[in-house]
């Protein structure tokens, strides 16, 4: 009897291993649409299939080489360039293959570009390092003139140019984002001042 139970358990374990990639958590259909592909991706339980220079996780400093839109940039890290998707936020599309340019997309991109400037950035990762498309998921920090730091993800929400998009397990700053989004809506900042909201 025990032998039969063990065989059943092993069979179930093998089945779960095969189907688990299709069970990844994605944003709610009623939530904001992600910029480009969904940021859900490989499990954080093992090493990323796209390792960072110098190892997994942690923090990295680099230089922005291109601003794609309000929530995606390219950053030079060491000798390579990473496509970085901001964690926890979503901005209107600029280059979507089917929806094209959405209202507010250009404004969000311009604000993102102005915030980044030409200075180095610090990338803070969370539990899940990358999405299923290999993009590095990060909180992007810039240094202020007073020597402190500002998180670009949070500042875009505070200014009203990004909506909150929480995708577990990367939830480290989710509560801050929700608070800033409520304030932006209440004070009609950025895209909330326009007839079309940044995301539905």
């Amino acid at each position: 009897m025990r032998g039969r139970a063990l065989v059943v358990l092993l069979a179930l374990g093998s089945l779960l291993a095969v189907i688990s990639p299709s069970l990844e958590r994605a944003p709610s259909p009623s939530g904001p649409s992600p910029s480009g592909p969904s940021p859900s991706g490989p499990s954080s339980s093992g090493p990323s299939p796209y390792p960072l220079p110098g190892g997994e996780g942690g923090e990295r400093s680099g230089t922005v080489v291109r601003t794609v839109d309000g929530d995606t940039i390219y950053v030079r890290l060491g000798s390579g360039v990473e496509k970085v998707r901001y964690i926890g936020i979503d901005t209107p599309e600029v280059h979507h293959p089917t929806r094209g340019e959405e209202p507010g997309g250009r404004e969000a991109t311009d604000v993102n570009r102005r915030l980044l400037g030409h200075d180095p950035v610090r990338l803070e990762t969370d539990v899940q390092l990358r999405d299923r498309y290999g993009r590095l998921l990060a909180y992007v920090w810039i240094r202020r003139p007073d020597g402190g730091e500002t998180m670009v993800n949070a500042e875009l929400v505070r200014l009203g140019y990004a909506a909150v998009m929480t995708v577990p397990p990367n939830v480290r700053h989710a509560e801050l984002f929700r608070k800033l989004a409520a304030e932006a809506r209440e004070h009609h900042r950025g895209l909330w001042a326009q007839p079309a909201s940044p995301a539905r």
Side-chain angles (χ1 to χ4, degrees), residues 20-34 37-41 128 132-133 165-169:
S20 62
S22 66
L23 300 177
E24 293 168 352
R25 182 171 183 136
S28 164
S30 61
S33 61
S38 167
S40 61
Q128 183 173 290
R132 68 180 71 182
Y133 301 99
M165 185 179 73
T166 303
V167 182

Side-chain angles (χ1 to χ4, degrees), residues 4-198:
R4 184 176 297 170
L6 183 60
V7 169
V8 170
L9 284 175
L10 287 174
L12 284 173
S14 299
L15 181 61
L16 282 175
V18 171
I19 67 170
S20 62
S22 66
L23 300 177
E24 293 168 352
R25 182 171 183 136
S28 164
S30 61
S33 61
S35 178
S38 167
S40 61
S43 167
S44 61
S45 60
S48 166
Y50 314 97
L52 280 171
E56 292 295 304
E59 297 181 352
R60 298 288 184 279
S61 293
T63 306
V64 177
V65 295
R66 180 183 164 208
T67 303
V68 177
D69 55 26
D71 53 35
T72 309
I73 57 177
Y74 282 91
V75 177
R76 182 173 299 283
L77 295 175
S79 60
V81 174
E82 288 279 354
K83 189 173 188 179
V84 178
R85 174 62 163 84
Y86 292 4
I87 296 174
I89 72 168
D90 184 48
T91 61
E93 299 288 354
V94 177
H95 309 289
H96 195 276
T98 57
R99 297 198 300 268
E101 184 177 326
E102 296 179 331
R106 197 169 298 276
E107 291 91 332
T109 303
D110 290 344
V111 171
N112 188 26
R113 188 175 288 119
R114 285 200 305 272
L115 287 170
L116 294 167
H118 301 287
D119 298 323
V121 294
R122 179 172 66 86
L123 304 180
E124 173 195 357
T125 57
D126 206 330
V127 176
Q128 183 173 290
L129 186 64
R130 296 182 183 272
D131 65 12
R132 68 180 71 182
Y133 301 99
R135 297 180 300 181
L136 180 63
L137 303 173
Y139 305 102
V140 179
W141 295 83
I142 52 172
R143 188 165 295 282
R144 299 191 305 266
D146 66 4
E149 288 188 312
T150 296
M151 187 204 305
V152 179
N153 313 46
E155 190 66 1
L156 284 163
V157 176
R158 188 187 73 81
L159 294 173
Y161 289 95
V164 177
M165 185 179 73
T166 303
V167 182
N170 290 350
V171 298
R172 184 177 302 152
H173 299 291
E175 190 56 41
L176 170 65
F177 295 157
R178 284 192 288 269
K179 177 176 176 284
L180 294 174
E183 291 174 0
R185 284 193 299 270
E186 181 183 348
H187 296 287
H188 307 288
R189 294 185 193 136
L191 301 178
W192 298 112
Q194 300 178 9
S197 60

